Amino acid sequence: MRVRKLTLAAMALAAGLSLTACQNDDGTDQSATPPAASAPSSSDGGSGSAGSDQEGGTGSGGKTPNGSDATGGSGGSGEDGKTAKCRTDELEITAIDATVGGDDRGTVAVDLKNGGGRDCTLEGYAGVDLKTNAGTLSAERTGEQAPTIVLADGDTVTFGITYPVNDTGGSGVRITGLVVTPPNETKSVTLDWPGAASLPVTDGSGTPVQVGPMGSAGQGG
């Protein structure tokens, strides 16, 4: 009988200890907050806030200082006076008869219109060749001073070509085309010749075909 009471008492004690242990485990899981869970949250929040402030300072109001500087630099690229030269492909080149009645020389005005989307520079004389049934005839320069012209996008500059009028009554030298090469370029444009159909035959001692500098419209221009 004594042995049975001791056994029951031991079983009761073991059950009590087991219940207490279960209650402690449950309480720990429900109430304790792991330090590692709160620390990343606080650290991430601080880091994210600092990063946001820095990025906001750089791009505040949607403006980027580097972008502004780049735009300003691009806009002021021509301030040093070194605008890029006009390319043949950027120019719309046309020619018209500009002879004034009564003149003893014929005149053709050649227009160069800037269609390149940017300002560009023309300096000096254009190359001018007349295509004839007797071969190619190169125009001589008049010798006038050739200014440097900054041609804005959409603007036009004109130069003149003068040539002797064929009043000999003969067929003369028939002109079949006009070849224009912009200053400092190697690519040419071939146009229809808008002037008189022929030049007088000469032994070289007559009046030559001449080309004026950029900005000269020639006679009647």
Side-chain angles (χ1 to χ4, degrees):
M1 189 69 177
R2 181 179 177 82
V3 174
R4 183 178 181 182
K5 288 181 178 181
L6 290 174
T7 301
L8 292 174
M11 292 176 63
L13 178 60
L17 291 175
S18 176
L19 178 60
T20 301
C22 291
Q23 289 176 347
N24 287 340
D25 290 343
D26 293 342
T28 299
D29 292 341
Q30 293 175 1
S31 62
T33 302
S38 60
S41 175
S42 174
S43 174
D44 290 346
S47 175
S49 175
S52 176
D53 290 344
Q54 291 173 1
E55 291 173 3
T58 302
S60 178
K63 297 178 181 178
T64 304
N66 289 339
S68 298
D69 291 343
T71 302
S74 176
S77 61
E79 293 178 358
D80 59 358
K82 295 182 179 180
T83 305
K85 71 177 182 178
C86 298
R87 296 287 187 180
T88 302
D89 291 339
E90 297 176 316
L91 299 170
E92 180 184 344
I93 304 176
T94 56
I96 62 171
D97 183 13
T99 303
V100 175
D103 283 350
D104 59 354
R105 289 174 62 81
T107 301
V108 166
V110 180
D111 291 339
L112 291 83
K113 181 178 180 179
N114 180 8
R118 64 181 179 90
D119 294 356
C120 62
T121 299
L122 289 168
E123 182 176 5
Y125 285 77
V128 171
D129 297 301
L130 301 187
K131 298 172 69 175
T132 76
N133 61 337
T136 300
L137 175 65
S138 297
E140 298 179 6
R141 297 179 178 182
T142 61
E144 300 172 68
Q145 183 176 0
T148 298
I149 296 175
V150 177
L151 194 61
D153 182 41
D155 283 358
T156 300
V157 65
T158 305
F159 69 87
I161 303 169
T162 57
Y163 60 94
V165 175
N166 180 21
D167 55 5
T168 63
S171 60
V173 177
R174 184 166 56 86
I175 304 173
T176 59
L178 169 64
V179 181
V180 177
T181 308
N184 302 308
E185 277 288 270
T186 58
K187 185 175 182 178
S188 303
V189 174
T190 300
L191 307 172
D192 292 334
W193 172 251
S198 64
L199 300 172
V201 177
T202 176
D203 58 4
S205 61
T207 304
V209 176
Q210 291 185 306
V211 55
M214 290 293 124
S216 69
Q219 296 174 324

